[in-house]
Amino acid sequence: MGDRSTVKARLAALQIELPSWAFGNSGTRFRVFPQPGVPRDPFEKLADAAQVHRYTGAAPTVSLHIPWDRVEDYGKLADHAASLGLRIGMINSNTFQDEDYKLGSVCHPDPKVRRKALRHLLDCVDVMDATGSSALKLWFADGTNYPGQDDIAARQDRLFEALTAVYERLGDGQRMVLEYKLFEPAFYHTDVPDWGTAYAHTLKLGEKASVVVDTGHHAPGTNIEFIVAFLLRERKLGAFDLNSRFYADDDLMAGAADPFQLFRIVHEVARGGGLEPDANVAFMLDQCHNIEEKIPAVIRSVMNVQEAVAKALLVDVDALQTAQQAGDVLGAYEVLMDAYDTDVRPLLAELREEQGLDPAPVAAYRASGWREQIVEQRVGGTQAGWGA
Ligand code: PSV
Ligand code: MN
């Protein structure tokens, strides 16, 4: 077990990336519920993200989604981030909200549509150049709804062709991560449905390509920690999109639905060296706050991830190994549960105080008056939301 100060030092180094879209209006396909004070542009989204970093000290990077975060001058956006103590994180591509993509984007049967989609992906690398972002995150909504609709294998060829072109465009110090998702919006087959498909493609591409595990993108009951352990071992775990789910891709707050699952995942990350800075595993949130207040929900999510990591760092690795070697099934389980059952909130509060932060981030945010200020100031204009 790491001693208290080692655990705190490792927690202090943990950085959780925020999605710009968590701060905009969102909803289900039934209704988007607007909230007062929601940002009207990417600059205001960064200002809200800065609040999360201010009260947690753990969220210095923000992931952008293009075109939702399209601006005239990306250098100016990066400067704005820097003035708020933030950096631009991953650039997320979006090839799922254009009329042309009804039958897919990079896997579309029409080469014209494929070229348009590829152009967008390459434009996203330009945004990386302009903002100093080091990673491109690719998720494709491509797939089919009916058997026979298109040639599944040919679509894999088209996918790989586009991925190769993007890979070749990456500059020094840039990488790409490929996200998989079981289903939705396609319902019969999806072109990157699982980690195996993402792994196979990124393996062929080379070491600048790896896999994103979005915790909400699996069939119920999937052992996500196994996937994490496997990918880490192969040095192909590039990033997490953290969120939680009860049913499908619910995008609820990380750690809310199943804190034990989050702990088990993070335990495998820690075990496999994924918390080390050179492992290059990004911990991103990918969440939407449809009915709850957004900024405190993001703060709470960061805290949930910190708690899971703290517990994982408290696992007595030597005792665990001894029990495993001895075939002591119950002993090994007990070591894991001892860590999971530890109340790590006092440890994290102590760490925050040492960092000059308030020990209770949500309460500190609420007392700051930021919410009242944005509700009063952000009037007029169009609030950011899905598709904007
Ligand atoms: C797809 O469901 C996804 O998880 C991808 O990461 C997208 O970029 C993101 O959601 C958009 O919210
Ligand atoms: Mn995602």
Side-chain angles (χ1 to χ4, degrees), residues 53-338:
H53 185 44
R54 175 164 186 192
Y55 295 103
T56 61
T61 58
V62 182
S63 200
L64 302 183
H65 217 296
I66 309 296
W68 298 343
D69 295 315
R70 181 171 282 155
V71 290
E72 287 279 298
D73 183 343
Y74 286 100
K76 199 167 140 200
L77 191 64
D79 290 346
H80 180 63
S83 74
L84 295 164
L86 302 174
R87 294 187 314 279
I88 302 298
M90 295 203 182
I91 303 300
N92 291 249
S93 61
N94 181 327
T95 51
F96 50 89
Q97 284 182 311
D98 189 291
E99 201 56 30
D100 284 337
Y101 300 142
K102 189 165 79 174
L103 301 180
S105 63
V106 292
C107 302
H108 198 285
D110 182 346
K112 269 206 310 294
V113 178
R114 298 207 292 276
R115 274 198 297 276
K116 171 174 169 166
L118 176 59
R119 183 70 260 151
H120 168 72
L121 303 182
L122 298 174
D123 287 348
C124 286
V125 185
D126 293 344
V127 175
M128 290 167 68
D129 291 341
T131 55
S133 159
S134 62
L136 175 67
K137 180 143 76 66
L138 302 167
W139 173 69
F140 298 106
D142 291 50
T144 61
N145 270 8
Y146 294 98
Q149 182 188 319
D150 197 5
D151 183 325
I152 292 176
R155 290 177 73 97
Q156 287 298 309
D157 295 339
R158 299 168 199 155
L159 170 68
F160 190 66
E161 196 181 311
L163 292 175
T164 304
V166 176
Y167 190 87
E168 283 169 359
R169 162 68 181 84
L170 294 175
D172 288 342
Q174 293 181 334
R175 64 190 182 113
M176 64 196 257
V177 290
L178 179 60
E179 181 173 352
Y180 59 90
K181 180 173 175 175
L182 178 62
F183 82 106
E184 198 200 21
F187 294 117
Y188 169 57
H189 103 278
T190 294
D191 291 306
V192 190
D194 53 25
W195 70 268
T197 310
Y199 172 70
H201 281 289
T202 56
L203 189 66
K204 274 211 254 172
L205 289 168
E207 58 182 26
K208 284 180 173 186
S210 52
V211 180
V212 183
V213 175
D214 183 314
T215 47
H217 287 188
H218 307 85
T222 300
N223 184 328
I224 300 175
E225 52 271 33
F226 169 79
I227 299 170
V228 166
F230 182 93
L231 291 174
L232 252 180
R233 191 171 166 275
E234 300 294 334
R235 305 190 67 79
K236 280 292 179 193
L237 180 65
F240 280 100
D241 265 8
L242 298 166
N243 50 56
S244 59
R245 74 194 288 267
F246 288 101
Y247 300 101
D249 187 21
D250 303 347
D251 281 344
L252 300 173
M253 295 188 297
D258 189 347
F260 185 43
Q261 181 194 51
L262 183 58
F263 163 76
R264 298 193 311 263
I265 292 172
V266 178
H267 166 63
E268 290 305 330
V269 178
R271 152 73 182 79
L275 291 177
E276 309 306 323
D278 64 349
N280 230 355
V281 178
F283 288 84
M284 254 201 61
L285 302 178
D286 178 10
Q287 308 182 156
C288 292
H289 307 291
N290 301 345
I291 57 167
E292 67 275 25
E293 203 189 321
K294 296 169 196 302
I295 298 173
V298 182
I299 294 176
R300 177 73 214 209
S301 309
V302 169
M303 293 168 71
N304 285 354
V305 177
Q306 287 181 310
E307 286 175 22
V309 173
K311 290 177 184 206
L313 291 172
L314 286 173
V315 170
D316 188 335
V317 179
D318 294 337
L320 184 63
Q321 261 178 15
T322 306
Q324 288 172 344
Q325 295 293 319
D328 180 359
V329 178
L330 289 180
Y333 171 66
E334 196 174 310
V335 171
L336 220 56
M337 293 312 291
D338 273 348

